[in-house]
Structures are given as structure tokens and as C-alpha cells.
Amino acid sequence: MLADHITALSGGRIEVKLFAAGELVPGRGVFDAVSEGTAELYHAVPAYWDSKSKGILLFGSQPFGLRADEQFGWLYHGGGQALYDEMHGRFNLKPFLCGNSGPQWGGWFKTEINSVDYLKGLKFRTTGLASEMASKIGMAAEAMSGPAMFEALQTGALDAGEFIGPWTDSALGYFQVAKNYYWPGVGEPSSAEECAVNADTFNALPDDLKQAVSLACESLYNPVWTEYTTKHAAALKKLVDEEGVMVKRFPDSVISAMGTAAAEVIDELRQDDDALVRQIT
């Protein structure tokens, strides 16, 4: 969709050739590939770039943080885009938000969660700052792709995990190996998607084509977000009615413990500003 929008808004003067993860570079290699000019742009999520700078994670999601509408508002009306440009600019990238999957779910669990003690020691798939929150309450957080999460749940390498929400999760079949589906996903109240363009390539474009790329990204934010929201609802009903999934809410004590852990994670980010600067310079 993004490639099509860029081509249409540029009047065909820009054509985007698509490569799936692993064709040109591995999925997690796109940041470096575009930074170095091996490719001109990528589509991904900021949650994957904690090895570059933890500050980048804030532009995708924050535990107990911004909803999808608030994230977009901060970027476009609250000065967030200038900070986003500064952060990615240090890696020779020009970033744009181009979608949001909305509120994530708490995750798929093989066992019922009755207290924080039930979470301690569980091998749990998640990403970004949510993984640090999970670690602080005693979970063994691991990052992996959606398909890899299914295999790990199936083999027992994982005890639980979260990916996105009912629509995407049902397509990956998690309900086959874990029936307890928990909400709310306080680790990611929203999860933004991004497009980043090699800064040299972007700066060389005439102003009208720069605007075409920018508007192509902006034009997808609401359609992507509302597509997730609409299709999650239909998929959740099917999961419950046809697949025997049990929708459950985390106990208040678990949510409270997650909130305390999330506050610690954010406070550590604030206090470690020097370390963040060292990472990105």
C-alpha cells in the first residue's frame, strides 16, 4: 500500500520495488541497509531498533503510554516529528509514521494468570520497552518474529507471548497452542509503523517529491489503524465462537505491578540520557 501511494502521489516519478524480509537483507537488517544506502527505504516498526538507541522505541510505543491518536498528535502537533528527525538523522535516515496497529493484546498464555507470581519465570515473547517491563516483574522476555513465536509456543521454548491482536494473531494460529487470551495490552497501548528513507536519497529529491513521500506515509496512518481495529473485532468473535479461545482480563494486581515496572523503565530512560547519546553518536 505504501509503495502504491508513493507512486500515485508522485505521478509515477517514483517507483518503489518491494523486497520481502530475507530477499535483500534479513528483516532486522533493513535499518542498516537503508542507513548505508544499500536500499532507499524500509517499512518496519520502531520497536525493533533498541540496539541502535532505546530512545527510538518511544516513537513506536510506550508501556502505559500513548494511544494511536495521541501518538499521531504528538508527532504532528506536539513537536514529536522534530525529535524523530533528530534521532533517526544521526543514522542518516528520514523517518515517517505510516500506520498504527492500535492497542496490543496482553498475550497468549498456556496457563491462567491469577497473580504476579504466576508470571515469574515465564518465557514470554514481546518487543521494545514492553520487554523491559516484563523483565522487571520476573518474566524471561524474548524477541522473535510472529511465525517463530508460534513454533516456540508449540515446542515449549515459550510459555506465552504477545504479537499484535486478534486479526493478525488468528492468522498465525496461536489459538492452537494457547487458549488463554489476556487483555489489556498495557505494554503497548498502540504500536506505530514507520517508513524510513535514506537521508541522502530523500534530500536529493525535489520539494514536490519530498512532499509526495511524506503525504503517502501520512495518508496511510488512519486507514491502517482503523483496518486493524475493525478486523480485530470480527476476528475476536470468531476465535471465541469457533476456536474455544478464553478471553480473560489480567487481575488488577498484575496490572498494578506492570504499571510500577513501566514507571521504572521510563525513569531509567530519563536518567540514562548520556548513555542514549553515546549509542546514537
Side-chain angles (χ1 to χ4, degrees), residues 55-256:
I56 292 178
L57 303 179
L58 296 170
F59 297 97
S61 62
Q62 320 88 20
F64 290 85
L66 303 179
R67 301 187 312 261
D69 55 332
E70 293 172 329
Q71 189 81 356
F72 192 82
W74 170 52
L75 260 288
Y76 280 86
H77 306 293
Q81 186 66 48
L83 297 174
Y84 198 22
D85 288 341
E86 179 183 353
M87 177 66 77
H88 281 57
R90 290 162 174 162
F91 298 97
N92 197 38
L93 297 171
K94 168 61 178 174
F96 303 93
L97 292 189
C98 58
N100 200 305
S101 57
Q104 310 279 287
W105 274 60
W108 298 87
F109 291 78
K110 295 181 180 180
T111 58
E112 191 171 359
I113 305 303
N114 295 316
S115 70
V116 177
D117 289 338
Y118 283 74
L119 295 174
K120 292 180 178 178
L122 284 187
K123 298 184 291 293
F124 182 70
R125 185 272 177 197
T126 189
T127 59
L129 294 173
S131 65
E132 297 192 22
M133 180 190 75
S135 296
K136 284 188 176 292
I137 57 175
M139 304 177 81
E142 300 183 35
M144 61 183 70
S145 69
M149 174 178 148
F150 174 84
E151 183 178 347
L153 285 170
Q154 192 173 42
T155 63
L158 282 179
D159 301 306
E162 65 83 20
F163 186 54
I164 298 178
W167 175 40
T168 46
D169 293 7
S170 60
L172 289 165
Y174 300 138
F175 61 87
Q176 299 173 31
V177 287
K179 293 293 187 183
N180 299 290
Y181 199 21
Y182 274 88
W183 70 281
V186 294
E188 294 180 87
S190 70
S191 181
E193 300 173 0
E194 72 177 358
C195 168
V197 185
N198 176 273
D200 295 330
T201 299
F202 185 80
N203 291 334
L205 293 174
D207 288 345
D208 62 329
L209 291 186
K210 288 178 182 175
Q211 188 77 345
V213 174
S214 176
L215 289 175
C217 293
E218 183 180 338
S219 70
L220 279 180
Y221 193 90
N222 193 58
V224 169
W225 171 29
T226 52
E227 180 181 25
Y228 274 110
T229 302
T230 303
K231 293 184 176 178
H232 279 328
L236 181 62
K237 186 177 189 305
K238 185 174 181 180
L239 284 170
V240 173
D241 293 347
E242 300 180 19
E243 305 297 347
V245 169
M246 295 175 285
V247 174
K248 299 179 179 179
R249 184 182 185 276
F250 283 128
D252 288 345
S253 60
V254 170
I255 296 173
S256 178

